[in-house]
Structure formats: structure tokens, C-alpha cells
Amino acid sequence: MNSFTLVSNKVNSLNGEIEVPGDKSISHRAVILSMLSEGQTVIENYLSSEDIFRTVEISRILGADIYLKNEIMEVHGIGLEGLIDPKKVLNFGNSGTSIRLFMGILAAQKFESVLTGDKSLRKRPMERVAEPLRAMGADIETNKGNLPVKIKATNGLNNLRYRLDIPSAQIKSAILLASLFTDGKTIIETDTETRDHTEIMLKDFSSTIEVDDKTISIVGGKIFSPEYIYVPGDLSSASFLILAGLISKDSELKIKNVGLNPTRMGFIEIMKLMNADIEIDADNQFNSNEKIGSIVVRSSKLKGIDVPTNLIASAIDEMPLVFLAAACAEGSTSIRNAKELRYKESDRIKAMVNNLTSLSIDVNEYDDGATIIGGTIQGANLDSFDDHRVAMACLLASCRSETPVIVRNCLNINTSFPTFKETMNSIGMNINEV
Ligand code: S3P
């Protein structure tokens, strides 16, 4: 199954108006908070992908009734007291967001749980989440930092004042979810802004949460369903279209109905610094604290830059695309202070350095990033390194190659963007199964 190979052929121009599927991070949070709330929630435009189905499945095992009908999800909340003992190992597949957010919830339960995942997830660090949860009183054992994780039953968690030194929305969200099960106030201090979908959605669920520049404070206690959540299109998925439009000749694409949360805009800002022609049009009518709107991109002559460190966290999932943009740019691009990339679905520094080298691009690898010299891409036979975003980013290399780009092991694309091939082909790409 894992040998599922895609071949991406030479691209002429790309054109069209498209929408991308719902946002993955927001879809996870919508299911989880709806499950923990009092009341019923209808979730529209959720992402129908394997990672979200893991969150749905785990929520069902823990006692929530969830119905999927015609692209609408209906979640019957069980409240903070309603979770039931799973009595079996919980398997989170490939989904880092699901497992880390559920660690926060399961740390506060009166029953024990054991959590595991697939080959890629089993290599990813879990101590970073276990450590603050232990400081709240949770009893958690990791397997030398990795999965499986065993969480013992508890009679309650304490409040915490925590300094978030790793720029991770998943750690932050695990602490916020655990804090719902406490009586008093938990405070998280952070210097680096990471995606804030949990904070925004907790407000929609009437939680007592306050956010200022560098501090989040939350008071535990029941949350209440807002009854309806609309999930905007995923800016991370849209970013594949954005880069394809920028690096292909004579191209213009409009991506509609996409999330424009400021904590996710790093990739667009980096592309603009590289001379990209991108227009953003926010939709002010949208009835949510999540921003939404459309993005127009046109073919651009990209220039190499030193990627500013302060944009890395808000572009973290799009960094494989920044590597490819750099390969297509004139001059050299430096990506540093990006070591977090080594802890994603693959070691994304290693994966992109290997693949760009195979595509005949000059790259120097560092512990925390790489320098990439823009050049002429030559088609090659690549591996996804078990990583959906590496697979999709590398398939875009055919926008600048005369010969086909082949990527092995692409089944993982289903975890985040199952309609990737069809969407890219609808604007003029030519991606096929081998
Ligand atoms: C996510 C947070 C990020 C991101 C991941 C989704 C989330 O991970 O890379 O794809 O939904 O909270 P980190 O929190 O580990 O940076």
C-alpha cells in the first residue's frame, strides 16, 4: 500500500478559481470541543481526511455520538464529566494534533489510557506534552520520549503557570484542554505566536479565557456548544496552489473561502518578501473570529532571501514549500532557526534537502535549516519520507521541470488533502498514479 506512487508531468500555465477543503487544525478542535461541551454542534465544511477521522473515532470510543451526513457533522456533547473508559489501546494513526490534544484531555480522567500511532507518529516527541501535564499533577509514562504513552487515572489536576519555550500550538492546546478539568486559573506565557484556533474556539464555547500579547489565562469549568461551526478552507492546503501559481509561467489562480488567521500567514509573508504577486481579500461579513477570504496569485519571478526567524512558527507546515520556492528563486535563500521541522511527520529538513539535491539543486544542510541556491530543476524519482506535505510539495517541482517528477509513498496525502491530485489537475497540473 505504501508504495503508492504519483508522477507529476511538465506544467504549462495554471489557471482557475478553486476552493480547498476545510482547515485541519480547526476541524480537530471543532470535534474535540463539541465532544467536551454541553449541547449539540453542527460542523459544516469539516475536513474529510484520515487525521480528522482519527479524532472522530477516538471521540466516539470515549463516548460521544457523532453523525456524518452529507458533509455535515453532528456532535452530541458529553460534557467534561461524560468520558468513558476506552478499555483498549487508542490508536491515533498519523495524527500528531489528535494525540497531543487528547493527551491533555486524558491526563485529567479517572481511568487509565494507553495511546499509540503509526510508524511516523511513533518516532515523534511526546515528552514535550507530558512534561507540562505532569506539572499539573498528571501521571504519564512515555516510551523513552515516544509512543506508546501510558496515562494513569487521576483524582484531579492542579492549575499551572507555564512558560511555553517550544513554539508549539499542540503543547499549548493540550494544556488548555487539561485546564478545563481544573477549578482555578491556568496561565501560559509565550514569546512566539503559534496558531491560536484553540483560544478562538474556546471563546465560542463560552470558556473563560483571556488572551493578550504574550499571556493566555483560562479558568476551568464547563463549556457550552455554540450549536454551529463553519470551518474555513485550509490555508495550508491552499499554499500548494499558491506556490504552484507563483512558479508556473502565465498563471493566475483565485482561491476562495480560505482561512486567513493571522497566526497562519507566515508563508504568504515569506512569499511576498521573495517578490510574489499575491492579493488578499478578506471577507468582512464572515460571522466568526476566524478570518476568511480569497487569495489571488500570479506567476512571479521569485528572489532568494534570508527567511526571517519570526515568520517560521506561522509558516511551520508550509516550510517544505519554502524550500521548493527557494529552489525556483534567483539567488540564495537561507532558512535558519527552524529545528522544529525535524520533529514533524518526517525530519522535514533532511527530507527536503535530500529531495532538492535529487532534483539537481545545490543545498547546504544545517542542524536548524538549510541554504538553497536557486537553479534549474531536473525531474527525479523521490520519496515522501512518510510525510504528506513533503509528498505534495515535491510533486509541485514539475511546475519548473521539463522532465517528470515521481514521488513514491504518497498514500499519506489522504491524512490532510485527499483531493490534492484532482484539485491540482483541475487548474492545469498533470499528476497521475503510476
Ligand atoms: C498544529 C500545530 C503544529 C502544526 C500541525 C498542526 C495544530 O504543530 O505543525 O500540523 O493543529 O495545533 P506544533 O504544535 O507541533 O508546532
Side-chain angles (χ1 to χ4, degrees), residues 326-327 331 333 353 356-357 359-364 371-376:
T333 294
V353 166
L356 288 186
T357 306
L359 291 164
S360 306
I361 297 296
D362 279 343
V363 191
N364 284 318
T371 304
I372 300 139
I373 319 288
T376 305

Side-chain angles (χ1 to χ4, degrees), residues 369-422:
T371 304
I372 300 139
I373 319 288
T376 305
I377 291 177
Q378 318 258 4
N381 192 328
L382 310 173
D383 188 59
S384 78
F385 290 80
D386 291 325
D387 187 328
H388 55 132
R389 297 199 201 279
V390 169
M392 292 185 278
C394 290
L395 286 162
L396 299 194
S398 68
C399 296
R400 288 292 271 266
S401 159
E402 292 294 319
T403 45
V405 175
I406 296 166
V407 183
R408 300 183 304 277
N409 185 12
C410 284
L411 210 55
N412 45 41
I413 291 175
N414 289 336
T415 61
S416 68
F417 194 172
T419 52
F420 171 78
K421 176 165 77 73
E422 292 72 21

Side-chain angles (χ1 to χ4, degrees), residues 25 29 97 100 167-170 195 316-317 344 389:
S25 294
R29 286 150 174 89
T97 304
R100 278 143 175 180
S168 162
Q170 293 176 354
R195 65 192 68 198
I316 195 71
D317 286 347
K344 296 296 174 187
R389 297 199 201 279

Side-chain angles (χ1 to χ4, degrees), residues 302-319:
L302 298 180
K303 291 183 320 203
I305 59 163
D306 289 349
V307 175
T309 299
N310 67 335
L311 293 180
I312 303 274
S314 58
I316 195 71
D317 286 347
E318 289 67 67
M319 291 309 290

